Amino acid sequence: GAVVSQHPSRVICKSGTSVKIECRSLDFQATTMFWYRQFPKKSLMLMATSNEGSKATYEQGVEKDKFLINHASLTLSTLTVTSAHPEDSSFYICSARDYSGNTIYFGEGSWLTVV
Amino acid sequence: GQQVMQIPQYQHVQEGEDFTTYCNSSTTLSNIQWYKQRPGGHPVFLIQLVKSGEVKKQKRLTFQFGEAKKNSSLHITATQTTDVGTYFCAGAGWGSNYKLTFGKGTLLTVNP
């Protein structure tokens, strides 16, 4: 079946630095990818919708200058957390929509810890 | 904006008992999807319901989509310890972006 790969699975960074998380669709082309944030024991909160070749659409309350999203190809979207702060520590999950249908596949998530 | 309410938030059952979680959307949905997330894991797609009044079964799991395409339920018959996890419904809006709005999830724990 379709696979979405997310990397890194875990990352620790220092406050003030930037960290990049990659989301790849391995065996299908994804014109649309989604980035979510999940706090422990909470639901998934959509951060932004990433469309290949265009600017991402951010949800209300999500700082686009802090969470930079780039969807440079049909198989890769990246989320860069800039000037990381301990409050940014969370589980970040991407998902990709299968171009041929309506199924959405999730990556395995990335645990970000900012110290 | 679109909101998806899910209840209950937690459910603890004895192995062998049945379990149901319910979702209700503030708006009519194009479809609704269900996901399972094991502790420490990522959401895994279970099923998608598209048609009004649709009922689908996967072994002991029964999924229903309401006639108005605003509510849905997931029912598990005779729960097993392997059913433990958080079950999320996610409502899909309309339009090409296909944005999913997730319910808060129901955490199911099963006592063996």
Side-chain angles (χ1 to χ4, degrees), chain A residues 10 32 34 36 38 41-44 46 49 51 57 59 91 93 97 102-109 111, chain B residues 9-10 31 33 35 37 40-45 48 88 95-105 107:
Chain A
R10 291 181 181 273
T32 306
F34 304 88
Y36 294 86
Q38 186 177 33
K41 298 183 180 181
K42 297 294 184 183
S43 187
L44 285 78
L46 179 64
T49 302
N51 293 298
T57 303
E59 295 299 302
F91 188 50
I93 312 174
R97 176 189 173 191
N102 289 328
T103 304
I104 293 181
Y105 303 93
F106 277 82
E108 294 175 339
W111 286 100
Chain B
Q9 193 174 358
Y10 306 98
N31 68 76
Q33 302 178 19
Y35 293 81
Q37 185 176 23
H42 64 284
V44 174
F45 175 81
Q48 175 178 276
F88 292 99
S96 59
N97 267 349
Y98 203 76
K99 187 169 71 173
L100 285 179
T101 301
F102 279 79
K104 291 190 175 182
L107 172 61

Side-chain angles (χ1 to χ4, degrees), chain A residues 1-7 21-35 50 52 70-78 94-100 103-108:
Chain A
V3 177
V4 172
S5 173
Q6 203 170 327
H7 178 81
I21 300 170
E22 294 185 346
C23 180
R24 293 181 184 272
S25 56
L26 297 185
D27 55 359
F28 67 98
Q29 292 183 332
T31 54
T32 306
M33 289 186 173
F34 304 88
W35 286 96
S50 169
E52 187 266 337
N70 187 323
H71 195 155
S73 76
L74 285 171
T75 59
L76 174 64
S77 177
T78 60
C94 71
S95 67
R97 176 189 173 191
D98 186 336
Y99 182 80
S100 63
T103 304
I104 293 181
Y105 303 93
F106 277 82
E108 294 175 339

Side-chain angles (χ1 to χ4, degrees), chain A residues 6 21 33-39 44-50 56-64 66-69 79-82 88 90-94 112, chain B residues 99-100 102:
Chain A
Q6 203 170 327
I21 300 170
M33 289 186 173
F34 304 88
W35 286 96
Y36 294 86
R37 183 174 181 177
Q38 186 177 33
F39 292 101
L44 285 78
M45 181 191 79
L46 179 64
M47 298 175 66
T49 302
S50 169
T57 303
Y58 289 81
E59 295 299 302
Q60 193 172 9
V62 178
E63 299 176 61
K64 61 182 180 181
K66 180 169 184 58
F67 298 99
L68 300 178
I69 291 171
L79 167 67
T80 302
V81 182
T82 63
D88 299 326
S90 188
F91 188 50
Y92 293 88
I93 312 174
C94 71
L112 169 63
Chain B
K99 187 169 71 173
L100 285 179
F102 279 79

